[in-house]
Amino acid sequence: MDWHIQKNQGPIYQEIMEKIISEGEKGNILLGEKLPAERELAKIFQVNRSTVTRAIDELQALGMIEKVRGSGNYLIALRNSPELSPWRFLIEENDYFFKPELFPELKNNQEAIDAYTGELPYELVPKIQLPSFSWKDFLKAEKKEDHLGYVPLRKVLGKELKEEKENILITAGSQQGLFLILQGMLQKGDKVGIFSPSFFWSLPIFSIAQVKRIGIPFSGKIDFFKLKEIVLREKIKVLIVNPNFQNPTGVQMSLKERETLVDFAKSHHLLIIEDDAFSKLYYPKTKKLPTLRQLGKDNVLYLGSLSKILGTTTKIGWVVGPPPLMERLSKVKEALDFSLSIFPQVMAYSALTSQNYPLEMAALREKLKKRGTDLFQLSQKYHFKATMPKGGYYLWLEELPVTVNENFLKKLAKENIYVAGGYLFAGGKHSLRVNASRLTKKEGEIFMEKLAKVIAQEKNNILF
């Protein structure tokens, strides 16, 4: 890790603060990781210890560092954390909201093997047959829309989800639905529990809503003793869960875990927000399990979306919950001026009711299984630790023998292979999220071969 600072860009203690933050954002320091002792940092930065102490104190005041008596200083939040002053870093060039893309060259790189982007490749998007529309058709459709959204669409979703249409609010994607819940139900400083790793750690909406995320260790199964300890200690009000083919690990929560989690939420008066974006993408012969909401409607709000099937340009999602709460969220939506055009709602309804939709979805699941199985088998050929997915997009490579950070990802990019580091999802320094849906078998072979090559080079550099 490069701890070098310029010492000519303003107060030195602020440069030290910025260095610690930026190394955390790059994945070189993980959330919850202990920092070097202040005396050691003073030697590293070649400054007086009092300068380091001031930097640490400032970061502690911002809620980014926790001082543990007798143990040391720990990084507990990054720049998109709700504890930050709302203005302190917003104008900084390296702020989260203004940071450049990790791979700005990816869109124009025709030679790239892209296992990084979190959506289906164009060739796998279902070819849904849609009727021709006239302008008058949309004007007529608007008459069937109320404050909760397009009624025919809500009826179709309700039939599938076994819910009444009054329980469903249409949104511009599941992230908007999550934001409405955070804004409409929680107060500034409230705490939500999020399993780590999780893609929720990569979203800035928690910072915008000024809600604090609390990490809950997750290694493929839930440790309910640890969960209880954290919930009670941190006074968590909400758990946010991705039970089907979790992003980034691809894990499917077992039925027993679902039942236990719902019972746990009831006994501890917790709300569960269930994000179920991948539920339709189960592999053939994978057993479909009941949603958390089906197991415990009193404690679960459900988020769904079509973006993982029809692409992110289809900004359609839905929140499912009790009617009084849907009414409240619709008012929050109106207050925030989150209006939703009738066009995507009608298109979503037409897609879901298209005659060839079931056949296209069946074909998509077969293709996803083929690509996921091929990539998993290749990972075993190169002795990478991974679990065979049962659905969704992702293959999770873990316990890699090198440090995965921004520098490592850039070295992979020079080989024209692009992938997401686990640290982006609070998943540690030795893991990668690979979007298997984007790789043909040939591309998978090239990807694994080049990944193994760069890892070997990194190991040699460490040795010599």
Side-chain angles (χ1 to χ4, degrees):
M1 190 186 307
D2 180 14
W3 286 102
H4 178 72
I5 57 175
Q6 298 295 325
K7 296 185 182 179
N8 58 4
Q9 297 182 354
I12 294 176
Y13 80 90
Q14 290 184 355
E15 290 191 47
I16 294 173
M17 291 171 63
E18 175 61 33
K19 188 63 179 176
I20 292 172
I21 297 166
S22 64
E23 292 300 323
E25 290 172 341
K26 292 176 184 177
N28 291 327
I29 307 175
L30 298 181
L31 291 176
E33 184 172 344
K34 183 179 177 180
L35 298 177
E38 292 180 18
R39 189 183 303 277
E40 184 178 345
L41 285 174
K43 291 180 181 179
I44 292 171
F45 290 122
Q46 298 181 351
V47 298
N48 292 330
R49 184 178 175 182
S50 60
T51 305
V52 172
T53 300
R54 181 173 181 183
I56 296 296
D57 289 344
E58 289 281 332
L59 289 172
Q60 182 187 29
L62 291 170
M64 304 176 82
I65 293 291
E66 180 180 3
K67 289 187 172 184
V68 179
R69 182 174 297 179
S71 178
N73 303 322
Y74 294 82
L75 181 67
I76 60 169
L78 294 177
R79 231 186 309 241
N80 60 332
S81 169
E83 288 82 3
L84 289 175
S85 162
W87 55 267
R88 182 76 178 251
F89 287 107
L90 289 179
I91 59 174
E92 294 287 339
E93 182 179 357
N94 290 324
D95 183 76
Y96 179 93
F97 298 103
F98 302 98
K99 282 175 63 180
E101 295 180 36
L102 183 58
F103 302 120
E105 75 281 6
L106 179 55
K107 292 179 181 178
N108 299 317
N109 186 347
Q110 300 300 315
E111 304 299 321
I113 294 178
D114 178 14
Y116 171 79
T117 303
E119 57 187 75
L120 283 177
Y122 176 78
E123 69 269 16
L124 258 58
V125 175
K127 299 176 178 63
I128 306 296
Q129 296 174 0
L130 298 176
S132 59
F133 297 101
S134 68
W135 185 254
K136 286 187 176 181
D137 292 328
F138 289 106
L139 293 178
K140 289 179 181 179
E142 282 188 326
K143 296 179 181 180
K144 299 178 182 179
E145 183 182 23
D146 61 23
H147 61 293
L148 296 179
Y150 187 45
V151 174
L153 174 58
R154 286 164 41 221
K155 285 183 176 179
V156 169
L157 292 171
K159 184 177 180 180
E160 179 183 332
L161 297 170
K162 298 180 175 60
E163 299 275 358
E164 298 296 326
K165 68 181 188 300
E166 291 78 17
N167 293 3
I168 301 173
L169 170 68
I170 304 300
T171 63
S174 60
Q175 286 190 32
Q176 185 186 91
L178 175 58
F179 185 68
L180 291 175
I181 296 170
L182 297 178
Q183 287 285 81
M185 297 186 63
L186 299 179
Q187 298 180 355
K188 177 181 176 181
D190 280 348
K191 298 177 180 180
V192 300
I194 298 177
F195 291 102
S196 301
S198 169
F199 87 104
F200 289 114
W201 290 101
S202 67
L203 300 181
I205 58 175
F206 296 92
S207 172
I208 299 170
Q210 300 188 61
V211 171
K212 184 176 181 180
R213 289 167 290 185
I214 302 298
I216 300 169
F218 179 71
S219 59
K221 293 185 178 181
I222 301 174
D223 183 339
F224 284 95
F225 292 103
K226 187 69 175 177
L227 175 61
K228 181 178 180 179
E229 175 192 331
I230 295 173
V231 165
L232 294 177
R233 184 183 71 233
E234 299 291 345
K235 299 180 181 179
I236 289 171
K237 292 187 174 182
V238 176
L239 293 176
I240 304 180
V241 187
N242 183 200
N244 284 316
F245 321 122
Q246 195 242 16
N247 182 1
T249 64
V251 170
Q252 182 187 38
M253 189 183 296
S254 70
L255 176 58
K256 183 178 179 180
E257 277 191 312
R258 293 173 192 235
E259 292 172 338
T260 305
L261 184 61
V262 169
D263 289 341
F264 177 88
K266 288 179 180 178
S267 64
H268 290 82
H269 308 290
L270 294 171
L271 172 68
I272 295 176
I273 300 176
E274 177 181 16
D275 179 68
D276 206 18
F278 293 97
S279 62
K280 296 179 184 294
L281 301 181
Y282 55 89
Y283 290 173
K285 298 184 180 180
T286 294
K287 184 177 180 180
K288 288 189 67 177
L289 299 176
T291 66
L292 299 178
R293 176 156 174 81
Q294 289 170 343
L295 295 171
K297 289 190 176 184
D298 293 339
N299 290 79
V300 181
L301 290 180
Y302 180 92
L303 297 174
S305 171
L306 284 178
S307 65
K308 297 303 181 184
I309 299 170
L310 301 181
T312 53
T313 54
T314 309
K315 291 291 185 181
I316 284 291
W318 47 91
V319 184
V320 183
L325 183 54
M326 295 303 98
E327 294 289 334
R328 177 179 176 84
L329 294 183
S330 73
K331 290 179 181 178
V332 175
K333 181 182 173 185
E334 182 181 359
L336 293 173
D337 196 23
F338 282 175
S339 59
L340 180 60
S341 168
I342 192 64
F343 295 100
Q345 298 184 76
V346 171
M347 298 298 282
Y349 169 78
S350 299
L352 291 173
T353 57
S354 173
Q355 288 186 346
N356 73 327
Y357 177 75
L359 293 175
E360 285 292 317
M361 287 302 300
L364 174 58
R365 294 183 190 109
E366 290 285 357
K367 293 172 184 176
L368 288 175
K369 181 177 181 180
K370 175 72 166 59
R371 293 193 173 190
T373 302
D374 286 343
L375 197 64
F376 172 73
Q377 291 174 347
L378 285 166
S379 73
Q380 301 309 286
K381 175 183 175 181
Y382 287 93
H383 306 292
F384 295 136
K385 183 179 179 181
T387 301
M388 173 66 194
K390 296 181 179 180
Y393 291 175
Y394 302 118
L395 183 70
W396 181 246
L397 302 181
E398 53 187 327
E399 297 183 15
L400 297 174
V402 293
T403 298
V404 175
N405 52 25
E406 185 174 335
N407 182 53
F408 178 78
L409 297 182
K410 293 290 186 181
K411 290 179 180 179
L412 294 177
K414 288 181 180 179
E415 297 287 337
N416 280 328
I417 62 173
Y418 294 81
V419 66
Y423 70 88
L424 297 170
F425 315 102
K429 296 181 179 181
H430 302 282
S431 53
L432 292 171
R433 186 197 75 175
V434 188
N435 187 342
S437 76
R438 301 187 67 85
L439 305 185
T440 63
K441 186 172 184 178
K442 181 177 180 181
E443 289 171 333
E445 289 172 349
I446 297 171
F447 177 90
M448 290 295 178
E449 180 181 356
K450 289 189 173 182
L451 175 60
K453 170 188 168 185
V454 174
I455 287 176
Q457 291 172 346
E458 285 291 289
K459 290 172 67 178
N460 286 336
N461 290 339
I462 293 172
L463 292 172
F464 300 103

